[in-house]
Protein backbone atom coordinates (compact mmCIF):
# COMPACT_ATOMS: atom_id res chain seq x y z
CA UNK A 1 0.00 0.00 0.00
CA UNK A 2 1.32 3.49 -0.75
CA UNK A 3 1.91 5.67 2.27
CA UNK A 4 -0.05 8.73 3.34
CA UNK A 5 1.01 11.72 5.37
CA UNK A 6 -1.16 12.70 8.32
CA UNK A 7 -1.11 15.75 10.56
CA UNK A 8 -1.93 15.44 14.24
CA UNK A 9 -4.84 17.61 15.37
CA UNK A 10 -4.85 20.00 18.31
CA UNK A 11 -5.45 18.25 21.62
CA UNK A 12 -9.13 19.18 21.65
CA UNK A 13 -9.78 18.05 18.03
CA UNK A 14 -10.45 14.31 17.44
CA UNK A 15 -9.90 14.45 13.67
CA UNK A 16 -6.50 13.71 12.09
CA UNK A 17 -5.94 15.24 8.67
CA UNK A 18 -4.47 13.42 5.63
CA UNK A 19 -2.22 16.04 3.97
CA UNK A 20 -0.46 13.93 1.28
CA UNK A 21 -1.09 10.63 -0.49
CA UNK A 22 -4.60 11.09 -1.87
CA UNK A 23 -4.72 13.01 -5.16
CA UNK A 24 -7.18 14.25 -7.77
CA UNK A 25 -6.70 14.99 -11.47
CA UNK A 26 -7.73 18.30 -13.01
CA UNK A 27 -7.71 19.59 -16.61
CA UNK A 28 -6.96 23.28 -17.11
CA UNK A 29 -6.97 25.51 -20.19
CA UNK A 30 -3.54 26.46 -21.51
CA UNK A 31 -2.62 30.08 -20.85
CA UNK A 32 1.13 29.61 -21.29
CA UNK A 33 1.72 28.76 -24.94
CA UNK A 34 0.86 31.27 -27.63
CA UNK A 35 1.23 29.04 -30.71
CA UNK A 36 -1.08 26.05 -31.39
CA UNK A 37 1.90 23.87 -32.32
CA UNK A 38 3.39 24.47 -28.87
CA UNK A 39 0.35 22.92 -27.18
CA UNK A 40 -1.83 20.88 -29.59
CA UNK A 41 -4.64 20.25 -27.07
CA UNK A 42 -4.66 23.82 -25.71
CA UNK A 43 -5.05 22.37 -22.23
CA UNK A 44 -3.00 20.59 -19.58
CA UNK A 45 -3.69 17.91 -16.99
CA UNK A 46 -2.36 18.11 -13.43
CA UNK A 47 -2.41 15.97 -10.33
CA UNK A 48 -3.06 17.80 -7.03
CA UNK A 49 -2.87 16.73 -3.40
CA UNK A 50 -6.25 16.15 -1.79
CA UNK A 51 -6.48 16.97 1.92
CA UNK A 52 -9.25 15.10 3.74
CA UNK A 53 -9.97 13.83 7.23
CA UNK A 54 -8.31 10.56 8.10
CA UNK A 55 -11.65 9.03 9.09
CA UNK A 56 -13.12 10.00 5.70
CA UNK A 57 -10.13 8.58 3.87
CA UNK A 58 -10.33 5.25 5.70
CA UNK A 59 -14.06 4.97 5.00
CA UNK A 60 -13.54 5.66 1.28
CA UNK A 61 -10.77 3.06 1.09
CA UNK A 62 -13.00 0.43 2.71
CA UNK A 63 -15.91 1.32 0.42
CA UNK A 64 -13.76 1.41 -2.74
CA UNK A 65 -14.19 5.14 -3.26
CA UNK A 66 -10.41 5.57 -3.50
CA UNK A 67 -7.97 3.00 -4.85
CA UNK A 68 -4.23 2.64 -5.35
CA UNK A 69 -2.84 4.12 -8.56
CA UNK A 70 0.62 3.16 -9.83
CA UNK A 71 1.27 5.22 -12.99
CA UNK A 72 3.83 4.28 -15.61
CA UNK A 73 5.53 7.64 -14.97
CA UNK A 74 5.94 9.39 -11.66
CA UNK A 75 3.38 11.99 -10.65
CA UNK A 76 4.74 15.43 -9.78
CA UNK A 77 2.85 17.40 -7.14
CA UNK A 78 3.97 20.38 -5.06
CA UNK A 79 7.62 19.89 -5.92
CA UNK A 80 7.65 16.15 -5.07
CA UNK A 81 7.48 13.00 -7.19
CA UNK A 82 5.14 10.14 -6.34
CA UNK A 83 5.31 6.63 -7.76
CA UNK A 84 1.99 5.70 -6.10
CA UNK A 85 -1.05 7.70 -5.01
CA UNK A 86 -4.58 7.15 -3.82
CA UNK A 87 -7.35 8.45 -6.05
CA UNK A 88 -10.94 7.81 -7.08
CA UNK A 89 -11.84 5.61 -10.08
CA UNK A 90 -13.43 8.69 -11.67
CA UNK A 91 -10.25 10.77 -11.54
CA UNK A 92 -8.18 7.82 -12.78
CA UNK A 93 -10.50 7.47 -15.78
CA UNK A 94 -10.25 11.21 -16.52
CA UNK A 95 -6.44 11.04 -16.29
CA UNK A 96 -6.33 8.00 -18.59
CA UNK A 97 -8.52 9.67 -21.23
CA UNK A 98 -6.48 12.85 -21.08
CA UNK A 99 -3.24 10.87 -21.41
CA UNK A 100 -4.58 9.19 -24.54
CA UNK A 101 -5.71 12.54 -25.98
CA UNK A 102 -2.28 13.97 -25.19
CA UNK A 103 -0.48 11.11 -26.96
CA UNK A 104 -2.73 11.46 -30.01
CA UNK A 105 -2.13 15.22 -30.00
CA UNK A 106 1.64 14.76 -29.94
CA UNK A 107 1.44 12.21 -32.76
CA UNK A 108 -0.79 14.52 -34.80
CA UNK A 109 1.59 17.44 -34.23
CA UNK A 110 4.59 15.31 -35.20
CA UNK A 111 2.78 14.26 -38.36
CA UNK A 112 1.93 17.87 -39.25
CA UNK A 113 5.55 18.90 -38.64
CA UNK A 114 6.72 16.09 -40.91
CA UNK A 115 4.26 17.12 -43.60
CA UNK A 116 5.48 20.71 -43.37
CA UNK A 117 9.10 19.62 -43.67
CA UNK A 118 8.21 17.30 -46.57
CA UNK A 119 7.45 20.33 -48.70
CA UNK A 120 11.11 21.33 -48.48
CA UNK A 121 13.06 18.21 -47.51
CA UNK A 122 13.42 15.20 -49.86
CA UNK A 123 14.23 12.96 -46.87
CA UNK A 124 11.10 14.00 -44.95
CA UNK A 125 9.08 13.50 -48.13
CA UNK A 126 10.48 9.98 -48.53
CA UNK A 127 9.65 9.11 -44.90
CA UNK A 128 6.10 10.43 -45.25
CA UNK A 129 5.39 8.36 -48.37
CA UNK A 130 7.11 5.25 -46.99
CA UNK A 131 5.17 5.32 -43.71
CA UNK A 132 1.81 5.62 -45.47
CA UNK A 133 2.58 2.94 -48.08
CA UNK A 134 3.73 0.55 -45.35
CA UNK A 135 0.24 0.47 -43.87
CA UNK A 136 -0.72 -1.89 -46.69
CA UNK A 137 -0.53 -5.61 -45.81
CA UNK A 138 2.74 -7.30 -46.65
CA UNK A 139 3.08 -7.99 -50.38
CA UNK A 140 0.09 -5.81 -51.30
CA UNK A 141 2.13 -2.82 -52.43
CA UNK A 142 4.19 -4.83 -54.90
CA UNK A 143 1.07 -6.56 -56.24
CA UNK A 144 -0.69 -3.20 -56.60
CA UNK A 145 2.33 -1.68 -58.34
CA UNK A 146 2.39 -4.54 -60.88
CA UNK A 147 -1.37 -4.34 -61.42
CA UNK A 148 -1.13 -0.60 -62.14
CA UNK A 149 1.57 -1.22 -64.75
CA UNK A 150 -0.59 -3.80 -66.53
CA UNK A 151 -3.73 -1.64 -66.31
CA UNK A 152 -2.02 1.42 -67.81
CA UNK A 153 -0.39 -0.67 -70.55
CA UNK A 154 -3.80 -2.04 -71.53
CA UNK A 155 -5.47 1.37 -71.28
CA UNK A 156 -2.86 3.51 -73.06
CA UNK A 157 -0.52 1.03 -74.79
CA UNK A 158 2.31 2.95 -73.14
CA UNK A 159 4.80 2.30 -70.36
CA UNK A 160 4.14 4.13 -67.08
CA UNK A 161 6.82 5.65 -64.85
CA UNK A 162 6.63 6.32 -61.11
CA UNK A 163 7.64 9.43 -59.14
CA UNK A 164 7.79 8.52 -55.39
CA UNK A 165 10.14 11.46 -54.75
CA UNK A 166 7.56 14.06 -55.78
CA UNK A 167 6.16 16.12 -52.90
CA UNK A 168 3.98 13.86 -50.77
CA UNK A 169 1.64 16.68 -49.75
CA UNK A 170 0.48 17.29 -53.32
CA UNK A 171 -0.32 13.60 -53.84
CA UNK A 172 -1.82 12.75 -50.43
CA UNK A 173 1.17 10.48 -49.71
CA UNK A 174 0.31 8.37 -52.74
CA UNK A 175 2.84 7.59 -55.47
CA UNK A 176 2.32 9.57 -58.70
CA UNK A 177 2.26 7.66 -62.00
CA UNK A 178 3.24 9.34 -65.26
CA UNK A 179 2.62 8.47 -68.90
CA UNK A 180 4.80 10.24 -71.49
CA UNK A 181 6.35 12.15 -68.59
CA UNK A 182 3.04 13.74 -67.56
CA UNK A 183 0.98 12.95 -64.41
CA UNK A 184 -1.59 10.27 -65.15
CA UNK A 185 -2.66 8.85 -61.78
CA UNK A 186 -1.88 8.23 -58.12
CA UNK A 187 -1.40 4.92 -56.31
CA UNK A 188 -2.87 4.44 -52.82
CA UNK A 189 -3.39 8.06 -51.64
CA UNK A 190 -4.31 8.77 -48.01
CA UNK A 191 -8.06 9.65 -47.99
CA UNK A 192 -7.59 12.00 -45.04
CA UNK A 193 -5.06 14.10 -46.99
CA UNK A 194 -6.59 14.17 -50.46
CA UNK A 195 -7.06 17.63 -51.95
CA UNK A 196 -9.17 16.91 -55.01
CA UNK A 197 -8.23 20.25 -56.57
CA UNK A 198 -4.69 18.87 -56.90
CA UNK A 199 -5.83 15.50 -58.25
CA UNK A 200 -8.26 16.68 -60.90
CA UNK A 201 -8.42 14.29 -63.88
CA UNK A 202 -6.05 11.84 -62.18
CA UNK A 203 -6.85 8.12 -62.15
CA UNK A 204 -6.73 6.90 -58.55
CA UNK A 205 -5.45 3.35 -58.07
CA UNK A 206 -6.26 1.46 -54.86
CA UNK A 207 -5.98 -2.12 -53.68
CA UNK A 208 -9.53 -2.88 -52.53
CA UNK A 209 -13.13 -1.91 -53.19
CA UNK A 210 -13.37 -0.73 -49.56
CA UNK A 211 -10.60 1.82 -50.22
CA UNK A 212 -12.35 2.78 -53.47
CA UNK A 213 -15.65 3.47 -51.72
CA UNK A 214 -13.89 5.53 -49.04
CA UNK A 215 -12.35 7.81 -51.67
CA UNK A 216 -15.52 8.08 -53.73
CA UNK A 217 -17.39 9.50 -50.72
CA UNK A 218 -15.40 12.74 -51.07
CA UNK A 219 -14.34 12.61 -54.74
CA UNK A 220 -15.88 14.97 -57.32
CA UNK A 221 -18.33 13.40 -59.74
CA UNK A 222 -16.58 11.65 -62.61
CA UNK A 223 -13.38 10.83 -60.71
CA UNK A 224 -11.97 7.45 -61.76
CA UNK A 225 -11.05 5.34 -58.75
CA UNK A 226 -9.91 1.86 -59.76
CA UNK A 227 -9.61 -1.09 -57.36
CA UNK A 228 -7.13 -3.56 -58.85
CA UNK A 229 -6.76 -6.37 -56.30
CA UNK A 230 -9.40 -8.88 -55.17
Amino acid sequence: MPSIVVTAPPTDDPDWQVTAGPAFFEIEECYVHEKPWQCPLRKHGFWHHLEIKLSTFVRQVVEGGVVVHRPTEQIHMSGCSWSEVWSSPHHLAVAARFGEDEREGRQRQARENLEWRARKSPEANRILVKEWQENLPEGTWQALHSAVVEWIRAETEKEPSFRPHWVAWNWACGVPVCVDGRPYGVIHPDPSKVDWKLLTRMVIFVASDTARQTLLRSAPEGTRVVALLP
Side-chain angles (χ1 to χ4, degrees), residues 159-223:
E159 195 70 19
S161 57
F162 301 87
R163 301 288 189 271
H165 59 281
W166 282 6
V167 178
W169 184 262
N170 295 343
W171 305 92
C173 294
V175 174
V177 187
C178 292
V179 174
D180 290 334
R182 299 164 66 176
Y184 182 87
V186 186
I187 305 177
H188 186 54
D190 183 346
S192 68
K193 295 181 174 60
V194 169
D195 182 348
W196 290 110
K197 294 191 296 294
L198 299 175
L199 300 184
T200 302
R201 295 185 295 277
M202 295 291 105
V203 180
I204 313 299
F205 300 102
V206 294
S208 66
D209 189 61
T210 300
R212 178 177 181 272
Q213 295 301 326
T214 299
L215 285 164
L216 285 175
R217 281 197 285 270
S218 64
E221 186 176 353
T223 301

Side-chain angles (χ1 to χ4, degrees), residues 1 10 67 225:
M1 293 290 113
V67 295
V225 183

